[in-house]
Amino acid sequence: MQLSLYLSTRSSHRKMALAIIGSVLLVAIMLSLVTGAYPITASEVLGIFAHKLGMPVSHLAAEKMNVLWTIRLPRVLLAIVVGGSLAVAGVCLQGLFRNPLVEPAIIGVSSGSALFAVIIIVFSSSIGWQLQSFIGVFALPLSAFVGGLLNTILVYKLASKAGKTDIAILILAGVAMNALSGALIGLAIYFGDDNAIRNFTFWSLGSLGGASWTKLYIVGTLIIISSLIMLSFPRALNAFALGESEAFHMGIDVQKVKMTLLVFSALAVGAGVSVTGAIGFVGLVVPHLVRMVLGADHHTLLPASFLVGAILMLGSDILARVLVAPAELSVGIITALIGAPFFLYILLNFKSKRTI
Amino acid sequence: MIQTTALTYSIQHKAILEPINLTVHPGELLVVLGPNGAGKSTLLKLLTGETTACGGDLSINSLPLQTLTAVQMAMLRAVMPQHSQVSFSYTALEVIALGMLSHQKNSRSYELMEEVMGLTETREFAYRQMEELSGGEKQRVHLARVLLQIWEDKPNPRYLFLDEPTSSMDIAQQHQVLKLVQKVKHKNIGVLAIVHDLNLAAQYADKVLLLNKGRALHYGPRLEVMTSQKLTEVFDHPISVINHPLYAQDIIITSETRVQQQEKQFKYASIKTA
């Protein structure tokens, strides 16, 4: 086949795939908006949106509008940015470490973030910070970011030698960091009062229940900026697949790319964790699935992973709300139920082929 | 031209490379030979900018290497590594296309890609996944990738570094690759290759650098450097260079000849009697 012809068909296939995934996301958004104790139909959802856009719409119950606008919509948007950014961070970390088993939660980035968030919450009152104040509102996601970044760099330094990552050390370092963070979170919560800390499971398993517009403005902005930056590195990540020195030979500023991606993946994960707690396995499952269907080229992998991550998070959140209604599960339980067997499946593959 | 003056490298005061002076001109193939641990790979890392030298000067087209950015270097030289494992499932085509990362926007990248894929005969498996390919096929894919990086005709010379490019290839493929290197030279490209096979080096090299224990023992035109005596000295093993009577070409024999064996036996015998 002619090269140019092949490349143009391939790029149109990829656009089509992205369009299909995008429309699935729209369906998931609608499904999430109509799911809940308070019945709101799809047409009512559209009506409320139309009303908010300034179009004249009749017969809108103020209560429904309230539920949709102040409770469900921020939750849906939070699910999209958190799910999408976790998946994109997964792609970037896997690309940097050159290993498909890397994921923010497994290597301990998420729990490191959660630890720092908990520390800020517990001790903010004793150092006189108000979490509602301007500084407080930023302090939480930023400290989570610092926790995540420290952890990422620590794990990277531990497991890497001459641009190659020892996966056994990497996973074990993650196990150690997760255990340590878990213990310290428990300890910190022991010192905190009931008002400051909602509960331990929230931080270790994660939940989207705390969504609100105020949190979304700050955290959403941080996440979207860092995701856009991560999305702008497809060429470098493709080059990294051959190795760090090869990437350098091809003209990639390896150190700069590495630092940028480590910082912004930690920022995205940290900001998300500060509102949702540590949600695991999204960054593992999504890149793998997308790679299986669309191939490893990061030009498609990055955006597609964002969309699929958002879909997975929305879907898991719907299940978390529906399964034990009127109570609610932590969304992290659902993602772990999907993700942990998937992780084992990848491990089996790893064992049989030694390459994935 | 790539030029080094008294280039050195050491780790914790232990000299890995003692002062090395060499030049690579466009249009010539410089082959680096030497036993394992001679410092060949270290030399390659210094020349490609991957590692910074501890002393001496290194310039490429008269520009000091340390003043160039990664992209500027990539536009001047391409490097084919010895082992390159691709993580994740990329197709051969996607790997070759990585060679255009440093191309400027207005380059005829896709035409160049067609051309190097023809030369390296990688078309037939271009759409297959890298992990399905044999060792030799993978090396050809990487060769296509590094050629693509510097294939565009430019007024300034470019350079190609090859680290044992033929290690996974059969005999026919080895010669194919080195014949391809001959073609590459005519595109205003200078080539430096680390080669293990002395006969390949004898057939294709223009200049040879003999390296042992971090020292450049002999450096110069192939005929001057690839002699029985010099090779034997560097490899610490009896090596004979013989001119083939019919093909007017040097043949290198790396096993001991009968005369050498007899000499040895004679020595032992004289030691015993003494």
Side-chain angles (χ1 to χ4, degrees):
Chain A
M1 204 192 318
Q2 200 69 32
L3 189 61
S4 50
L5 181 67
Y6 168 79
L7 290 169
S8 69
T9 27
R10 192 179 67 160
S11 84
S12 69
H13 281 177
R14 287 174 171 188
K15 277 183 195 137
M16 201 137 74
L18 286 180
I20 292 170
I21 301 170
S23 30
V24 174
L25 178 59
L26 288 180
V27 173
I29 290 172
M30 183 52 94
L31 206 59
S32 185
L33 287 173
V34 300
T35 308
Y38 199 93
I40 304 176
T41 64
S43 61
E44 282 168 333
V45 169
L46 294 177
I48 293 170
F49 277 120
H51 173 74
K52 286 283 179 187
L53 288 172
M55 280 182 259
V57 184
S58 53
H59 313 302
L60 278 180
E63 251 176 48
K64 288 190 179 183
M65 205 144 92
N66 248 332
V67 169
L68 186 84
W69 206 257
T70 54
I71 299 173
R72 289 195 195 160
L73 191 58
R75 185 171 182 144
V76 163
L77 293 178
L78 186 68
I80 292 172
V81 290
V82 168
S85 65
L86 279 176
V88 170
V91 171
C92 291
L93 291 177
Q94 290 178 6
L96 287 184
F97 285 94
R98 304 185 66 216
N99 198 295
L101 293 172
V102 179
E103 196 253 355
I106 291 174
I107 64 171
V109 181
S110 305
S111 60
S113 292
L115 172 63
F116 273 57
V118 169
I119 289 175
I120 281 289
I121 290 172
V122 169
F123 297 107
S124 61
S125 51
S126 43
I127 41 177
W129 277 359
Q130 286 295 310
L131 282 184
Q132 277 71 34
S133 72
F134 185 74
I135 291 180
V137 160
F138 278 101
L140 195 56
L142 288 182
S143 62
F145 152 66
V146 171
L149 186 62
L150 283 179
N151 217 326
T152 317
I153 292 173
L154 184 75
V155 168
Y156 184 81
K157 291 276 178 208
L158 268 176
S160 295
K161 196 184 171 192
K164 290 197 174 64
T165 314
D166 186 330
I167 192 62
I169 293 179
L170 187 67
I171 303 273
L172 291 175
V175 170
M177 291 318 292
N178 280 331
L180 184 65
S181 304
L184 291 177
I185 290 171
L187 196 65
I189 286 173
Y190 182 79
F191 285 110
D193 58 359
D194 288 348
N195 291 335
I197 310 297
R198 290 203 299 137
N199 56 46
F200 181 70
T201 34
F202 171 80
W203 290 107
S204 49
L205 284 169
S207 162
L208 293 164
S212 71
W213 282 109
T214 2
K215 285 180 187 168
L216 196 62
Y217 286 140
I218 295 149
V219 166
T221 315
L222 287 176
I223 293 181
I224 286 171
I225 290 172
S226 26
S227 297
L228 285 177
I229 291 172
M230 287 191 277
L231 284 171
S232 65
F233 282 91
R235 284 153 36 100
L237 283 168
N238 281 339
F240 260 78
L242 298 197
E244 283 188 22
S245 40
E246 284 78 356
F248 167 71
H249 294 152
M250 287 184 269
I252 302 292
D253 188 341
V254 172
Q255 290 307 322
K256 195 176 127 197
V257 168
K258 218 157 58 175
M259 278 325 291
T260 312
L261 288 179
L262 286 180
V263 165
F264 285 100
S265 59
L267 183 57
V269 173
V273 164
S274 71
V275 198
T276 65
I279 300 173
F281 294 104
V282 178
L284 176 85
V285 174
V286 173
H288 212 81
L289 279 180
V290 176
R291 245 184 240 118
M292 263 158 45
V293 180
L294 294 176
D297 186 348
H298 286 79
H299 288 97
T300 339
L301 180 59
L302 283 165
S305 292
F306 187 92
L307 297 176
V308 175
I311 294 169
L312 180 68
M313 190 63 93
L314 278 173
S316 306
D317 187 48
I318 293 173
L319 285 178
R321 283 187 286 157
V322 167
L323 284 180
V324 292
E328 195 180 287
L329 284 174
S330 285
V331 70
I333 296 177
I334 309 288
T335 58
L337 281 176
I338 301 169
F342 196 84
F343 184 63
L344 290 176
Y345 158 77
I346 303 175
L347 271 183
L348 279 178
N349 241 337
F350 204 67
K351 197 172 97 177
S352 62
K353 283 201 289 181
R354 273 286 152 195
T355 54
I356 299 182
Chain B
M1 173 172 84
I2 289 181
Q3 186 162 31
T4 76
T5 353
L7 197 68
T8 60
Y9 187 70
S10 49
I11 297 174
Q12 290 166 352
H13 306 294
K14 189 181 177 297
I16 306 294
L17 275 183
E18 292 183 25
I20 284 188
N21 301 304
L22 62 81
T23 49
V24 185
H25 294 278
E28 75 176 10
L29 168 60
L30 169 63
V31 168
V32 181
L33 294 172
N36 288 340
K40 300 183 299 256
S41 300
T42 309
L43 177 64
L44 196 74
K45 279 185 183 159
L46 294 181
L47 294 174
T48 57
E50 208 184 319
T51 312
T52 316
C54 297
D57 290 319
L58 171 55
S59 66
I60 179 164
N61 294 347
S62 312
L63 304 163
L65 197 69
Q66 66 266 28
T67 62
L68 301 177
T69 63
V71 189
Q72 287 170 328
M73 281 188 218
M75 280 155 50
L76 291 177
R77 60 99 183 91
V79 187
M80 182 167 162
Q82 192 176 353
H83 301 289
S84 199
Q85 212 199 342
V86 182
S87 41
F88 311 117
S89 291
Y90 283 87
T91 60
L93 191 77
E94 285 169 330
V95 172
I96 297 172
L98 286 174
M100 23 170 132
L101 273 182
S102 56
H103 284 193
Q104 273 149 342
K105 283 235 163 59
N106 53 4
S107 306
R108 304 169 298 114
S109 297
Y110 290 104
E111 283 171 48
L112 299 171
M113 191 165 164
E114 292 268 17
E115 200 183 328
V116 294
M117 283 167 71
L119 285 170
T120 50
E121 297 180 28
T122 43
R123 269 215 192 92
E124 47 183 313
F125 45 79
Y127 303 108
R128 286 177 44 205
Q129 304 292 327
M130 279 301 273
E131 68 261 25
E132 294 170 11
L133 303 182
S134 73
E137 286 169 337
K138 277 182 196 155
Q139 279 188 323
R140 273 149 68 199
V141 168
H142 285 294
L143 185 64
R145 169 176 70 77
V146 296
L147 285 180
L148 177 59
Q149 188 177 325
I150 50 169
W151 202 246
E152 194 175 17
D153 284 311
K154 282 184 190 166
N156 57 295
R158 281 98 59 220
Y159 304 90
L160 179 63
F161 293 93
L162 305 166
D163 191 355
E164 291 183 41
T166 56
S167 58
S168 306
M169 295 183 179
D170 61 36
I171 293 169
Q173 288 168 342
Q174 289 178 5
H175 285 274
Q176 250 172 355
V177 165
L178 280 148
K179 279 189 187 126
L180 183 54
V181 168
Q182 302 287 333
K183 273 188 210 163
V184 169
K185 293 194 310 194
H186 297 306
K187 285 188 66 97
N188 200 13
I189 292 175
V191 188
L192 182 143
I194 294 176
V195 174
H196 254 312
D197 187 325
L198 296 178
N199 277 298
L200 273 184
Q203 274 182 58
Y204 294 98
D206 299 309
K207 279 196 317 200
V208 173
L209 171 69
L210 290 184
L211 212 57
N212 192 16
K213 292 175 187 160
R215 289 169 60 192
L217 293 181
H218 301 283
Y219 169 64
R222 174 184 57 85
L223 284 175
E224 284 175 23
V225 174
M226 291 193 76
T227 61
S228 306
Q229 182 235 330
K230 287 175 180 166
L231 288 173
T232 304
E233 172 201 343
V234 167
F235 284 91
D236 192 22
H237 179 89
I239 294 172
S240 317
V241 180
I242 294 162
N243 199 266
H244 193 285
L246 294 179
Y247 305 124
Q249 167 178 305
D250 283 344
I251 296 173
I252 291 159
I253 297 171
T254 56
S255 58
E256 288 175 273
T257 56
R258 187 166 294 168
V259 178
Q260 285 165 336
Q261 281 171 2
Q262 282 170 351
E263 274 175 8
K264 234 186 203 172
Q265 280 167 2
F266 179 73
K267 261 188 202 164
Y268 281 129
S270 52
I271 289 168
K272 266 185 190 168
T273 48

